[in-house]
Amino acid sequence: MYKTNDLILRTTTSLIAFILLGFAIYLLLAGHNSPGGGFVGGLMTSGAVLLMYMSYGIEAVNKMLPINFVTLIPIGLAIAVATGAGSFLFDVPFMSQTFGYFTVPIFGEIELATAMLFDLGVYFTVVGVMITIILTIGNDQ
Amino acid sequence: MNNILVLPMVIPVLAGILLIFLRPYIKTQRWISLGVMIANIGISIYILNRIQSEGILRLDFGGWEPPFGILFVADSFSAILVLTTSIVTAVCLLYSFSSIGKAHENMFFYSFVNFLVAGVNGSFLTGDLFNLYVCFEIMLLASYVLIALGGKKIQLKESVKYVAINVLSSWFFLIGIAYLYGTVGTLNMAHLSERIAESGQTPILTVISILFLVVFSLKSGLLLYYWLPGSYSAPPTAVAALFGALLTKVGIYAMFRVFTLIFYHEPGITHTIIGVLAGLTLIGGSIGAIAYKDLRQIVSYNVVIAVGFILVGLAVLTPEAIEGSIYYLMHDMLVKGLLFLIAGTMITLTGMTNIDYMSGLIRNYPFLGWMFFIVMLSLTGIPPFSGFIGKVLVGQGTVDAGAYILLALAFLSSIFVLYSLLRVFLNCFWGETIISEEDEIPMKKGWLIPCVLLTLATIGLGLGAESVAIYVSDAANTLLNPNIYIDAVLHD
């Protein structure tokens, strides 16, 4: 059988997926002060992963990214709820957030907020949900 | 600061997440979910008692003051409903242990029950309209999964209808919230109430209130109940019992909250419409309950009748009627759960749904038969059981308000409830037995014990009405005097 040669697609994918993943992380981290956040970052990440699935096929990507995307959903949810429930430990109202300034070697002084952890939970949940939906529909057996 | 208020929602969510990881360990899943519900019972009793001594409790999320942040508010009404929800869910879980089957339990059944309860409790406790919408969606998404889980043809057919109608009503809900936010500029319930009281309920606000009425009618099955009998007869027994006991009640709760706290300035329009709808629901439900021979349909139409009955109390809006509605709401959650469990057990035991093909079950299963008899009496409102006090108080309220048509409809519907269930009792339990000794499916303890627990609960609520009375009258008092709620939320 004639096998299609998708060299151009695969080469550009390895470049674009890399950029997309980087941009997704940027969006995730930028959410506090500019447009972005966990939701759109997660969508962008799943877009990158989806692009890899489309050009390389499911088996190859599963080898590249040995992540069980279904378990990302409860992990993300657990992180998000735990950030809220962490307030029980400090005797402050549920869902309170706090922040502090830390000096990190390369970046200098940066502001770290616990809202970031919540966003991280959202991020994982969105990635898990999107890729689970796509794979469940796409994986026809 | 009352972090305990958020526990009835957070514990089920955490448990639901944990149970996803514990997928292969079914025993552990069962005990964790049951433990969560029992913990919720304890917490809600504690909250209920604290409300009696300290007044309405509130928790501002993240420490943001009320009009700006979202918050949970617990008054007696919410706490009573959270308590009843926890009891009914615990019993339904007990029933599901021996009836739902491995295939369900492996597909995250207990996680979704926990999420459902989280949504229901969140809806009861929230003090913010948009947060109410979100909690509704949590509840509905879990219920979509629970209704379709199993993938039988009828479940898929009914779940498509159920999802479609609920997506539509949620969209209406969102539109209503958008209009309200555009008009008043706030979404905190207490603040909304205050602003509407300041500006007067202008015609646009009355229109918005009617939009909310449509939304909650769709959710609770007030006149717009055509989706209900089909959807509630599709899922497995334990799930149907949860739906019958909880889901419509959340719509009813929302209607009580919105029309006593926010839109109470034009009772001539809104409460008259509620009264008309409640009357029509009583008529429609009564016709449905006696029209069908399918046991599941009969039971589902009994849910519809109860919705109409409870909202008669809201329509007349006198202290007695509201108290009666609250009593009846508690009673109905317990007894509808029991009714669905018994009906489901009967269907499992005989393998039929048509009441014409069942006969003489009392010879094989006497205990089940007498429990059905008690349910029937309780739903009709015979004195020692829990339905009585609610019916009397609602009746008294309608007499005080001079709403004699509603009074007549409400009490005639009791006769229809009695007739429809008596017909089931006579057809299915009395008569020649059709199940021979060797064909008899042995009654499992796991099916009987939950029914016994709920039967005890209905007897207990009936006999112990006096001890519940302080909570109920406090709840009714808060509902009738929105200022108590507003003061507790905004000015303390």
Side-chain angles (χ1 to χ4, degrees):
Chain A
M1 203 189 97
Y2 176 69
K3 193 169 175 298
T4 53
N5 185 349
D6 38 11
L7 178 70
I8 297 178
L9 178 66
R10 288 191 175 188
T11 316
T12 46
T13 295
S14 40
L15 185 66
I16 291 174
F18 191 69
I19 298 171
L20 276 178
L21 284 173
F23 187 53
I25 302 294
Y26 165 75
L27 282 175
L28 169 67
L29 295 177
H32 206 75
N33 299 315
S34 49
F39 186 75
V40 66
L43 281 182
M44 192 63 86
T45 309
S46 36
V49 178
L50 175 64
L51 186 64
M52 292 199 279
Y53 275 119
M54 276 164 61
S55 54
Y56 289 101
I58 287 180
E59 290 84 14
V61 179
N62 283 348
K63 236 179 254 166
M64 274 190 275
L65 295 172
I67 303 169
N68 185 356
F69 287 103
V70 182
T71 51
L72 274 190
I73 305 172
I75 289 173
L77 284 174
I79 294 174
V81 180
T83 347
S87 54
F88 287 110
L89 300 178
F90 300 101
D91 204 33
V92 286
F94 183 70
M95 286 277 176
S96 292
Q97 66 135 340
T98 178
F99 61 93
Y101 294 93
F102 298 91
T103 315
V104 190
I106 300 168
F107 299 98
E109 194 186 61
I110 52 172
E111 181 191 352
L112 292 178
T114 52
M116 186 65 226
L117 290 173
F118 191 85
D119 248 4
L120 200 68
V122 174
Y123 175 84
F124 279 136
T125 313
V126 171
V127 172
V129 168
M130 289 310 297
I131 298 192
T132 307
I133 291 174
I134 291 163
L135 287 190
T136 317
I137 297 174
N139 220 351
D140 196 10
Q141 277 158 3
Chain B
M1 206 214 20
N2 309 295
N3 264 335
I4 194 160
L5 284 193
V6 84
L7 286 181
M9 183 174 186
V10 163
I11 296 179
V13 169
L14 278 174
I17 295 167
L18 185 66
L19 295 184
I20 297 176
F21 293 111
L22 295 176
R23 183 176 179 185
Y25 310 106
I26 290 176
K27 277 252 165 67
T28 326
Q29 290 201 35
R30 289 176 178 175
W31 293 115
I32 289 181
S33 3
L34 191 64
V36 166
M37 295 312 147
I38 290 170
N40 265 355
I41 293 175
I43 292 168
S44 45
I45 290 175
Y46 172 74
I47 293 177
L48 197 55
N49 282 318
R50 253 187 77 182
I51 293 168
Q52 305 314 311
S53 56
E54 296 174 30
I56 296 175
L57 302 174
R58 75 162 209 263
L59 167 66
D60 309 329
F61 283 13
W64 296 93
E65 289 288 309
F68 308 111
I70 55 173
L71 73 167
F72 268 19
V73 182
D75 63 349
S76 295
F77 190 37
S78 325
I80 285 174
L81 291 178
V82 171
L83 174 61
T84 324
T85 302
S86 312
I87 294 173
V88 173
T89 316
V91 172
C92 288
L93 277 173
L94 265 183
Y95 187 86
S96 66
F97 290 170
S98 56
S99 71
I100 200 84
K102 276 249 161 15
H104 269 83
E105 289 177 310
N106 260 327
M107 284 315 282
F108 310 114
F109 172 76
Y110 294 114
S111 292
F112 282 109
V113 171
N114 274 302
F115 290 141
L116 181 85
V117 171
V120 171
N121 284 347
S123 309
F124 288 149
L125 287 171
T126 185
D128 181 280
L129 211 52
F130 193 79
N131 206 9
L132 178 68
Y133 169 81
V134 173
C135 291
F136 257 105
E137 287 305 301
I138 297 175
M139 172 189 91
L140 287 173
L141 279 174
S143 74
Y144 298 156
V145 176
L146 286 175
I147 198 173
L149 200 63
K152 279 188 282 183
K153 192 178 163 197
I154 179 174
Q155 285 183 308
L156 294 181
K157 195 178 108 192
E158 294 300 339
S159 63
V160 169
K161 276 200 271 180
Y162 180 71
V163 172
I165 197 81
N166 276 307
V167 167
L168 187 75
S169 67
S170 294
W171 180 69
F172 277 141
F173 196 176
L174 210 51
I175 299 267
I177 290 174
Y179 273 126
L180 196 57
Y181 189 61
T183 319
V184 190
T186 178
L187 284 178
N188 181 299
M189 289 189 198
H191 200 214
L192 268 174
S193 173
E194 203 178 49
R195 287 222 167 149
I196 290 176
E198 279 166 9
S199 68
Q201 192 170 330
T202 50
I204 180 80
L205 287 170
T206 310
V207 171
I208 295 169
S209 74
I210 289 168
L211 187 56
F212 278 109
L213 182 61
V214 173
V215 171
F216 297 136
S217 304
L218 273 168
K219 307 266 190 208
S220 66
L222 178 69
L223 191 62
L224 308 170
Y225 57 75
Y226 302 99
W227 55 272
L228 192 148
S231 312
Y232 282 16
S233 49
T237 307
V239 178
L242 267 182
F243 282 20
L246 303 183
L247 294 195
T248 55
K249 281 23 171 215
V250 182
I252 295 174
Y253 164 81
M255 215 175 298
F256 267 87
R257 189 57 87 202
V258 165
F259 285 99
T260 57
L261 178 64
I262 303 173
F263 300 112
Y264 58 91
H265 302 282
E266 289 280 1
I269 300 172
T270 49
H271 289 73
T272 312
I273 294 178
I274 294 175
V276 172
L277 291 179
L280 291 173
T281 311
L282 285 168
I283 296 172
S286 304
I287 293 174
I290 59 169
Y292 287 95
K293 297 211 157 169
D294 186 326
L295 187 53
R296 296 172 304 186
Q297 300 272 355
I298 297 173
V299 171
S300 303
Y301 275 103
N302 271 298
V303 175
V304 175
I305 298 178
V307 171
F309 191 87
I310 294 167
L311 286 161
V312 165
L314 177 61
V316 297
L317 209 63
T318 61
E320 284 81 18
I322 294 281
E323 268 185 41
S325 288
I326 297 168
Y327 269 119
Y328 203 77
L329 199 53
M330 294 165 74
H331 144 81
D332 199 59
M333 286 168 89
L334 296 170
V335 176
K336 281 290 143 55
L338 178 55
L339 184 62
F340 271 90
L341 289 184
I342 292 182
T345 312
M346 285 163 68
I347 290 169
T348 320
L349 291 173
T350 55
M352 327 248 183
T353 57
N354 192 318
I355 56 170
D356 279 348
Y357 299 125
M358 297 182 207
S359 179
L361 284 178
I362 203 150
R363 201 167 296 264
N364 307 86
Y365 310 106
F367 221 57
L368 192 70
W370 291 115
M371 274 194 297
F372 188 88
F373 189 69
I374 291 178
V375 175
M376 186 178 79
L377 296 183
S378 183
L379 273 172
T380 318
I382 306 291
F385 304 110
S386 56
F388 171 69
I389 180 95
K391 290 211 170 179
V392 167
L393 286 170
V394 170
Q396 194 187 341
T398 44
V399 171
D400 288 347
Y404 296 111
I405 298 176
L406 278 181
L407 176 72
L409 285 175
F411 280 93
L412 279 177
S413 80
S414 299
I415 296 178
F416 280 96
V417 168
L418 181 63
Y419 175 68
S420 70
L421 293 178
L422 202 55
R423 202 169 58 132
V424 173
F425 189 72
L426 292 180
N427 261 320
C428 303
F429 285 102
W430 283 5
E432 196 101 355
T433 179
I434 47 163
I435 304 178
S436 57
E437 290 281 326
E438 55 266 27
D439 291 342
E440 188 178 316
I441 302 173
M443 177 65 115
K444 286 191 199 170
K445 274 212 184 83
W447 296 344
L448 210 54
I449 291 171
C451 300
V452 172
L453 286 176
L454 281 179
T455 312
L456 291 179
T458 174
I459 297 173
L461 183 60
L463 294 178
E466 197 73 18
S467 53
V468 196
I470 42 165
Y471 306 114
V472 173
S473 63
D474 181 50
N477 188 31
T478 315
L479 284 178
L480 285 165
N481 301 303
N483 283 329
I484 301 176
Y485 188 97
I486 296 169
D487 286 342
V489 173
L490 291 178
H491 321 282
D492 65 340

